[in-house]
Amino acid sequence: FTKGSTSRREQEAVDEAQHMRSEQSARVAEQCEAISSEIAELRAQALLKGRPQNLDEELKTAEVQLSSEVAEAEDATRELLDLEANISHLEQQTASRESEMYAMQRRRLRQPSLGGSGTPKRQQPRGREEPDPATAADRLALQATEERVAEGRRREQALRDKLQRVWASQDAPGARREISDGE
């Protein structure tokens, strides 16, 4: 045997071994891929089999939470309605009390011989008479308010009269419109 033919045979043997190794690697890779595919299928099947239980449990949990939230919302609505009713009742009471208080204040201010407690004041000698400053201030405030109201009514009547004259000048002779409080 010659050296060249030996080296060629060795080279062929090495090439054949590498080829066999690559074929074997390809077969192992195919087998690994097939096994991985089977594992993936088995996992998917396991998930599908276990999923309805999980879905049922999740659905039950969600229903319980929903029922709880609905009950809380209903309680909050009832509480809100109760609070609104209480507010309305308190507003009515407040308006009633304010009206009563205003009426009592007006009566007190119109009766100069009564003090703030509703009992008659003792008559003091004329030389030393000292009016109650709060009552005097209240009386002055009430008078000023009454004067403003009276002035407003006078201006309103003047405007009504002026409006009547304008309408009378625009309408045919003898035709007269009546102005109601709403106009």
Side-chain angles (χ1 to χ4, degrees):
F1 294 101
T2 64
K3 218 176 180 184
S5 68
T6 313
S7 87
R8 193 171 50 118
R9 279 191 219 160
E10 286 176 358
Q11 184 60 37
E12 287 175 359
V14 168
D15 287 342
E16 191 176 320
Q18 284 179 345
H19 179 66
M20 288 174 66
R21 188 184 305 167
S22 68
E23 284 180 358
Q24 187 178 9
S25 291
R27 278 192 302 261
V28 168
E30 286 177 5
Q31 287 175 349
C32 286
E33 191 174 311
I35 291 172
S36 295
S37 177
E38 284 181 44
I39 290 173
E41 278 184 41
L42 290 174
R43 284 183 179 163
Q45 289 175 359
L47 283 174
L48 289 176
K49 287 180 182 177
R51 191 148 181 107
Q53 284 181 335
N54 290 341
L55 287 177
D56 288 341
E57 290 173 12
E58 289 177 24
L59 182 62
K60 287 177 185 176
T61 302
E63 287 175 348
V64 167
Q65 287 176 342
L66 177 65
S67 297
S68 173
E69 290 174 4
V70 166
E72 287 176 10
E74 288 173 350
D75 289 343
T77 301
R78 270 188 245 109
E79 188 175 328
L80 178 65
L81 290 174
D82 288 344
L83 288 173
E84 287 176 349
N86 287 341
I87 287 171
S88 176
H89 180 70
L90 289 173
E91 285 174 345
Q92 289 173 352
Q93 281 184 338
T94 301
S96 175
R97 291 209 173 123
E98 283 176 348
S99 177
E100 290 172 12
M101 186 175 69
Y102 182 70
M104 286 173 44
Q105 184 181 23
R106 287 184 61 101
R107 273 185 252 131
R108 187 185 76 176
L109 292 175
R110 289 196 176 153
Q111 296 176 0
S113 65
L114 292 180
S117 64
T119 58
K121 287 185 183 177
R122 283 186 277 153
Q123 293 292 335
Q124 296 182 356
R126 290 195 176 251
R128 296 183 55 202
E129 188 172 330
E130 296 179 19
D132 181 13
T135 303
D138 289 343
R139 189 174 302 127
L140 289 174
L142 182 60
Q143 287 173 350
T145 302
E146 288 173 343
E147 288 173 7
R148 285 195 304 266
V149 169
E151 178 61 29
R153 287 184 181 150
R154 282 191 295 273
R155 278 189 275 156
E156 180 184 11
Q157 188 58 45
L159 289 172
R160 286 176 187 265
D161 292 343
K162 186 175 182 179
L163 186 59
Q164 283 291 344
R165 286 192 301 273
V166 169
W167 281 346
S169 68
Q170 292 176 350
D171 291 341
R176 182 171 170 96
R177 294 184 189 175
E178 289 296 320
I179 300 174
S180 67
D181 286 338
E183 286 186 282

